Amino acid sequence: MKKILFYCITLLCVFGCRKSNNNSGNQNATDIFPNKVGDTWVYLVNDTTVSKFNGQSSTIAQYNMTITIIGSVPLPESIHGINLPKNLEANIWVYNYPGVTDTNYVFQKNDTLFFFDINQPSSSYSRKYIIPLSLHNSWQYTVGGFGEVNVDSQVDINVEQNIFYNAFHIYGFGGVPDKGFSVEEWIENNVGIVKRYLKTEDISPVNRFIKWSLLGYHLK
């Protein structure tokens, strides 16, 4: 009951405190891709599997996921082979969904924003973005992994009850050969990820397909 009440309160706060994409003037990377303590997003997540043999799909779960930046933490001078400046801090992104809490450390080095899952020792679970996003730019999506993503278009996109204008569309591959995945994302400046598809590309008989759809957000 307490968990249900928590999610209800979170949703009320998010929907009642939206920040629209109407900023102007000079902006740094963390303004374009929000990364401030107190920022919060709520997503509807659909988790399904698709058989590689007959194409049949089945739903594993559907749930709301709340992402909140709760604070910051000092980083070592090297993480997964990336040399970092002294006294660099990462923001702590907490992902809450039914029965699970995941945590990412998110930090910026030059024009690159890095996400590292602290529960996964391998950098193949990391991801990164070159900021600001620009058309036809490409980069290696995971640190030490294979494949690249490409910013191939800007589109107006409907997500649940919201319309996002000129969102950047990113598509490509990441991970390592035995744990690869394809990823497709729509990112709105000053909002973040508004929609995301991730499909596993491994040797199992089924592909796992995870979809994020932004329900609401509150940004500092």
Side-chain angles (χ1 to χ4, degrees):
M1 184 66 186
K2 290 182 179 179
K3 185 174 291 185
I4 292 173
L5 181 60
F6 169 79
Y7 282 115
C8 290
I9 293 172
T10 300
L11 285 170
L12 285 172
C13 292
V14 168
F15 285 115
C17 305
R18 286 175 179 249
K19 177 178 178 181
S20 61
N21 186 21
N22 59 3
N23 295 326
S24 60
N26 293 327
Q27 299 166 317
N28 61 34
T30 54
D31 290 325
I32 294 172
F33 200 124
N35 181 30
K36 289 184 173 67
V37 175
D39 289 348
T40 301
W41 300 261
V42 176
Y43 293 91
L44 173 65
V45 178
N46 287 278
D47 192 345
T48 63
T49 59
V50 179
S51 171
K52 294 179 180 179
F53 301 110
N54 56 24
Q56 291 184 348
S57 63
S58 60
T59 299
I60 297 176
Q62 182 182 71
Y63 52 87
N64 286 349
M65 176 177 67
T66 301
I67 302 174
T68 306
I69 305 178
I70 65 169
S72 59
V73 63
L75 291 174
E77 293 184 19
S78 177
I79 182 170
H80 289 304
I82 302 171
N83 294 322
L84 302 175
K86 291 183 179 180
N87 303 317
L88 182 65
E89 291 190 340
N91 280 344
I92 304 168
W93 290 46
V94 177
Y95 299 68
N96 281 304
Y97 47 102
V100 180
T101 298
D102 289 331
T103 303
N104 277 193
Y105 286 166
V106 180
F107 64 91
Q108 182 188 343
K109 181 183 180 184
N110 300 323
D111 63 353
T112 306
L113 200 62
F114 293 90
F115 286 69
F116 281 99
D117 187 338
I118 67 170
N119 299 312
Q120 298 288 351
S122 171
S123 62
S124 64
Y125 292 93
S126 66
R127 54 191 168 103
K128 60 183 180 179
Y129 301 90
I130 306 300
I131 305 296
L133 298 172
S134 60
L135 283 176
H136 312 303
N137 196 11
S138 61
W139 63 89
Q140 192 178 54
Y141 189 74
T142 50
V143 178
F146 80 102
E148 291 187 341
V149 292
N150 178 58
V151 183
D152 61 12
S153 62
Q154 280 186 270
V155 297
D156 298 340
I157 182 171
N158 292 290
V159 183
E160 298 303 316
Q161 302 301 315
N162 301 302
I163 302 176
F164 298 95
Y165 298 97
N166 294 316
F168 289 96
H169 178 249
I170 295 174
Y171 178 77
F173 298 89
V176 293
D178 60 339
K179 293 183 180 179
F181 57 85
S182 62
V183 62
E184 188 172 10
E185 295 176 342
W186 290 261
I187 299 175
E188 174 90 346
N189 280 344
N190 312 111
V191 176
I193 295 173
V194 299
K195 197 170 187 178
R196 184 176 196 244
Y197 296 148
L198 188 145
K199 184 176 74 171
T200 59
E201 303 280 354
D202 55 26
I203 59 174
S204 67
V206 297
N207 284 327
R208 189 174 176 186
F209 187 76
I210 300 172
K211 174 185 174 183
W212 295 8
S213 299
L214 184 64
L215 295 175
Y217 59 95
H218 172 67
L219 305 177
K220 295 296 184 180

